[in-house]
Amino acid sequence: MAERRRIIEGTWNCTSCGAKNIPARHKNCPSCNNPRELTGKESEFDFGDVDAAGRSTREGVTDEQALDLAGAGEDWFCAYCGASNRGDVTACRQCSAERGSDAKAAPIADLSPQPPPKPAPKPGNWKKVALIVAGILGSCCFGTCAIGYWGNMTHDLRGEVTATNWRRAVVQERFLPESRTGWRDQLSSTAPRMPVDGAGEVPGVTNIRDCVSRQRGTRKVADGTERVCRTKTRKVACGTEEKCRRRDKGNGFAEEVCHDETKYCNESYEDCQTETRYRNEPVFSQQCTYDTYAWRQVDQREMKGTDDPPRWPELTAGTNERVRREESYRVSVRYEDDGVKEHVVEPQREDEFVVWKKGQGVTLTVTNLGKVEKAVRR
Ligand SMILES: [Zn+2]
Ligand SMILES: [Zn+2]
């Protein structure tokens, strides 16, 4: 790609008389005739602004005299009088001193294009992160965790048993014949067996009959194909755009090089594919009626009491029967903890229940959040 080169002339400010925007071709101030030096940033040139392509908004230099200065190499600064000198001369134009190894070099500015200003989030984000961390630490170490620790601490309180209650039930079940339905492939004929002393029974499967075809479920089956199109985007070359960069020549002039780069644009297109279409198809199976046995509740008796010893209701198992026993116990304890409260102890067995007596003293271990952890008879 063809390159386009231009020479851009910088400007400087005289610190002796205050003259501004002096073109670089003047090595002495046109107003006070003082030579340009390193001091006071006199030799840090302003090359003007650039546009979005990086192209200088200043006109390029075309006259011979200025182009000759631009091509003379980097300036050097006299070690004796400080004056700026062309790179291609060996004696100071101001004091005639020889250019020695102690002559100072010209400052070279970095004129490479600046990356687009990002929201460089250094201090702001740091602050945010620090705040969040502090927040978590704070809420944990001084908030939640502290509450958690305080809340788990316990204190002992005195209470009293106000009531004891027991409930006992006996459920009588009988192994009875019944008809059910099932899928033919899951049924195999088995003879039933009656329970002996309420155990060892087999429900059995007999007299499989009246089989009919019924829907058992569905399955997915391919049902042809369809063309499905989706709109997608891709990058495509769409002409060219100019890009320029500048290089400080170290003598008040900058060289600008511009060239054309391929430009890329988003283009939408249709992405089409052939996809298999599916439909749900019912699946049928043979469903049959059969005879079997199952436990059925035929009776239930319940007894409740308070201070009296727990007793079982009278209910015994007959032929092909069994009984199931259920028991539950409750001990109500009243105590004072920021008001009158009730705590219920639920013993699992009779021997654990009968030791509780109405009016008895109780020591309760309660957390600071009010949860009863332990209740012990005194
Ligand atoms: Zn001046
Ligand atoms: Zn000199």
Side-chain angles (χ1 to χ4, degrees):
M1 283 178 217
E3 286 182 342
R4 294 176 295 280
R5 289 169 185 270
R6 291 195 304 160
I7 297 296
I8 305 298
E9 186 172 9
T11 52
W12 60 284
N13 300 329
C14 175
T15 53
S16 301
C17 70
K20 303 275 185 215
N21 301 321
I22 306 162
R25 66 189 66 198
H26 301 289
K27 280 193 157 44
N28 283 21
C29 170
S31 304
C32 70
N33 204 37
N34 264 303
R36 174 166 60 78
E37 298 177 357
L38 276 172
T39 52
K41 298 188 176 179
E42 275 185 345
S43 294
E44 290 178 18
F45 289 90
D46 173 15
F47 292 104
D49 296 330
V50 291
D51 64 16
R55 185 182 165 84
S56 180
T57 53
R58 288 188 184 177
E59 287 291 318
V61 171
T62 52
D63 62 292
E64 286 297 324
Q65 189 218 349
L67 288 175
D68 177 54
L69 276 166
E74 293 172 15
D75 282 354
W76 58 278
F77 293 84
C78 177
Y80 299 96
C81 72
S84 57
N85 286 285
R86 286 172 64 110
D88 57 359
V89 298
T90 55
C92 175
R93 64 189 168 87
Q94 186 78 10
C95 70
S96 300
E98 285 288 311
R99 175 184 187 175
S101 57
D102 49 0
K104 293 204 170 51
I108 308 293
D110 179 13
L111 301 176
S112 54
Q114 296 300 311
K118 265 188 235 157
K122 288 276 155 52
N125 259 15
W126 248 110
K127 233 178 185 171
K128 222 179 204 171
V129 170
L131 272 173
I132 291 167
V133 169
I136 291 166
L137 283 176
S139 67
C140 185
C141 292
F142 313 117
T144 319
C145 288
I147 285 174
Y149 177 69
W150 173 85
N152 283 336
M153 293 197 302
T154 59
H155 52 278
D156 284 353
L157 294 170
R158 284 167 165 267
E160 187 190 305
V161 175
T162 51
T164 58
N165 290 281
W166 58 268
R167 174 193 170 272
R168 280 183 166 183
V170 177
V171 177
Q172 187 184 37
E173 294 174 327
R174 197 173 297 153
F175 204 51
L176 290 169
E178 63 174 40
S179 289
R180 291 193 184 182
T181 57
W183 299 109
R184 183 69 189 87
D185 56 1
Q186 292 174 343
L187 298 175
S188 62
S189 291
T190 322
R193 193 195 307 154
M194 292 303 108
V196 176
D197 294 333
E201 75 281 5
V202 174
V205 175
T206 55
N207 193 19
I208 300 169
R209 61 192 184 278
D210 300 341
C211 297
V212 287
S213 183
R214 288 198 194 281
Q215 190 179 339
R216 194 171 180 175
T218 57
R219 68 173 162 221
K220 277 196 187 312
V221 288
D223 185 31
T225 57
E226 59 188 334
R227 199 156 167 74
V228 177
C229 295
R230 294 178 184 88
T231 304
K232 295 185 173 177
T233 57
R234 63 185 163 204
K235 292 222 180 292
V236 288
C238 56
T240 57
E241 60 184 342
E242 186 178 50
K243 292 277 184 202
C244 302
R245 43 185 72 238
R246 297 178 304 171
R247 189 175 59 81
D248 186 355
K249 291 176 77 67
N251 52 23
F253 295 87
E255 185 182 44
E256 181 191 78
V257 181
C258 296
H259 64 269
D260 293 325
E261 282 184 4
T262 307
K263 192 175 154 189
Y264 291 91
C265 304
N266 284 330
E267 181 193 73
S268 41
Y269 67 102
E270 291 290 291
D271 180 43
C272 295
Q273 261 149 3
T274 303
E275 294 182 358
T276 308
R277 196 171 50 215
Y278 292 92
R279 67 180 163 83
N280 284 327
E281 189 184 73
V283 177
F284 290 90
S285 275
Q286 291 288 310
Q287 196 180 57
C288 311
T289 306
Y290 64 98
D291 291 335
T292 186
Y293 282 81
W295 288 107
R296 296 266 172 216
Q297 182 176 325
V298 288
D299 200 358
Q300 168 172 333
R301 280 178 207 163
E302 191 183 79
M303 288 190 91
K304 288 179 179 175
T306 53
D307 304 332
D308 48 331
R311 298 180 304 282
W312 287 109
E314 286 288 330
L315 195 58
T316 48
T319 309
N320 297 343
E321 286 181 355
R322 67 180 179 189
V323 289
R324 204 156 37 80
R325 292 170 191 274
E326 295 169 358
E327 60 193 313
S328 65
Y329 306 101
R330 284 170 64 92
V331 177
S332 302
V333 179
R334 189 180 57 205
Y335 65 102
E336 291 259 353
D337 186 15
D338 201 15
V340 177
K341 301 261 169 72
E342 189 188 59
H343 174 66
V344 175
V345 182
E346 291 181 328
Q348 295 298 304
R349 304 194 314 260
E350 181 180 357
D351 59 333
E352 292 169 350
F353 169 69
V354 294
V355 292
W356 295 89
K357 301 281 178 232
K358 192 176 174 180
Q360 201 169 32
V362 180
T363 302
L364 297 112
T365 306
V366 185
T367 70
N368 284 342
L369 291 175
K371 184 170 168 270
V372 176
E373 299 224 309
K374 216 164 50 165
V376 180
R377 284 172 292 115
R378 278 205 309 278

